[in-house]
Amino acid sequence: MNIDRIVGEFKNAEIALVKVAEFDVEDEMLMTFQGGLLEYVEAVKNLDSKVVFLSISTLSKEFFTINIGAEIDDYGSISKEIEITSINKKFKKYKKYINKNAYFHFLTTSKYGNLQFNIQEDWFNEFYELLEIERENIENHHINKLNENESNNAARQNELLQKVDSLKNDSNFCKCKTQIIKNAYALEKYPELKELDLLTLKSAISSITAAVEAKKMML
């Protein structure tokens, strides 16, 4: 949509067009107009409104960067930025539109209510639809990868805990008198137990210690 045409249509209708950076449209009396630009101009005239506010959004470079991980940090992910054109070459053709007008948002006020109207360039609609699909694909892949890593980590932890559990049949371990000595012995015999966090290791050793002591009492 040519901005000169927009200005011309409102000028011909003797309606002032005021450009603004942005405006708050959260209003219970806000209505969205359905139709084209000429129909909107006619509707504004019928509302006896003399002023229309216009906010224009452009396509910025930020649209071509996807921030992965920011919304799923609960999974322990690290947020990182990805250049979308490095993943999907289809986005390259849209770079010629950077800093071009993409979205026109009109708003007029009247005693009957506030009437808004939006125009989006066809290329922007295509770009944004493609972008949403790509974002969803990337984030789904990222979450699947995190879940896979989580599953692998759980399997590895279970493997290490089985090694800790095997110490209850180790006579030298059973001779250790204190928790500190038992921890040191376990790490000496199975250095890979360092992969466990200290709390998990201590808890596991405490459990087998209790099992060993209970077994002694039953003899």
Side-chain angles (χ1 to χ4, degrees):
M1 176 65 66
N2 188 293
I3 185 62
D4 292 333
R5 181 199 162 190
I6 293 175
V7 172
E9 296 294 350
F10 285 99
K11 185 176 181 180
N12 292 337
E14 297 183 346
I15 298 172
L17 190 63
V18 180
K19 294 181 183 179
V20 297
E22 60 181 352
F23 39 75
D24 185 359
V25 294
E26 293 184 6
D27 191 315
E28 60 182 12
M29 291 297 292
L30 178 69
M31 298 169 286
T32 300
F33 180 77
Q34 291 186 336
L37 177 62
L38 293 179
E39 289 85 357
Y40 181 70
V41 172
E42 188 64 26
V44 173
K45 289 169 61 178
N46 291 334
L47 290 171
D48 294 326
S49 180
K50 298 298 183 181
V51 177
V52 169
F53 299 98
L54 170 62
S55 174
I56 303 176
S57 298
T58 60
L59 182 68
S60 65
K61 293 181 180 180
E62 285 71 23
F63 274 98
F64 293 87
T65 301
I66 293 182
N67 198 5
I68 298 298
E71 298 180 356
I72 46 180
D73 281 338
D74 288 344
Y75 289 84
S77 64
I78 298 176
S79 177
K80 62 179 180 179
E81 293 185 345
I82 297 177
E83 169 63 43
I84 194 66
T85 55
S86 67
I87 300 172
N88 190 330
K89 304 301 181 184
K90 290 182 180 180
F91 287 96
K92 283 189 174 182
K93 69 178 183 179
Y94 295 102
K95 283 206 164 184
K96 64 184 178 182
Y97 295 112
I98 291 177
N99 296 326
K100 300 292 184 182
N101 295 337
Y103 187 93
F104 303 87
H105 191 174
F106 303 87
L107 176 68
T108 190
T109 61
S110 76
K111 62 183 179 181
Y112 304 105
N114 301 329
L115 188 65
Q116 69 174 351
F117 175 57
N118 303 313
I119 298 177
Q120 291 183 193
E121 297 287 4
D122 290 340
W123 60 263
F124 182 75
N125 289 333
E126 295 171 2
F127 169 80
Y128 200 77
E129 182 178 355
L130 188 63
L131 183 63
E132 286 298 291
I133 293 173
E134 200 62 45
R135 278 176 174 164
E136 184 176 357
N137 290 338
I138 291 173
E139 290 185 0
N140 285 341
H141 173 75
H142 190 66
I143 290 174
N144 289 338
K145 191 68 176 178
L146 289 173
N147 289 338
E148 180 182 340
N149 291 340
E150 185 177 340
S151 178
N152 291 338
N153 289 340
R156 176 56 174 168
Q157 178 168 300
N158 185 58
E159 178 185 340
L160 294 173
L161 290 176
Q162 287 180 4
K163 291 187 176 183
V164 176
D165 188 66
S166 70
L167 291 171
K168 65 186 179 184
N169 299 317
D170 185 322
S171 59
N172 290 326
F173 174 82
C174 294
K175 293 176 183 177
C176 296
K177 299 299 183 181
T178 66
Q179 177 82 13
I180 294 177
I181 296 175
K182 288 177 180 179
N183 288 347
Y185 181 87
L187 290 170
E188 180 68 26
K189 184 168 184 178
Y190 299 118
E192 59 270 30
L193 293 181
K194 292 179 180 178
E195 296 176 32
L196 293 172
D197 64 81
L198 188 57
L199 184 61
T200 299
L201 178 60
K202 284 183 176 181
S203 177
I205 289 179
S206 294
S207 294
I208 64 172
T209 297
V212 169
E213 293 301 321
K215 185 176 180 181
K216 289 180 180 178
M217 294 177 64
M218 296 175 63
L219 296 177

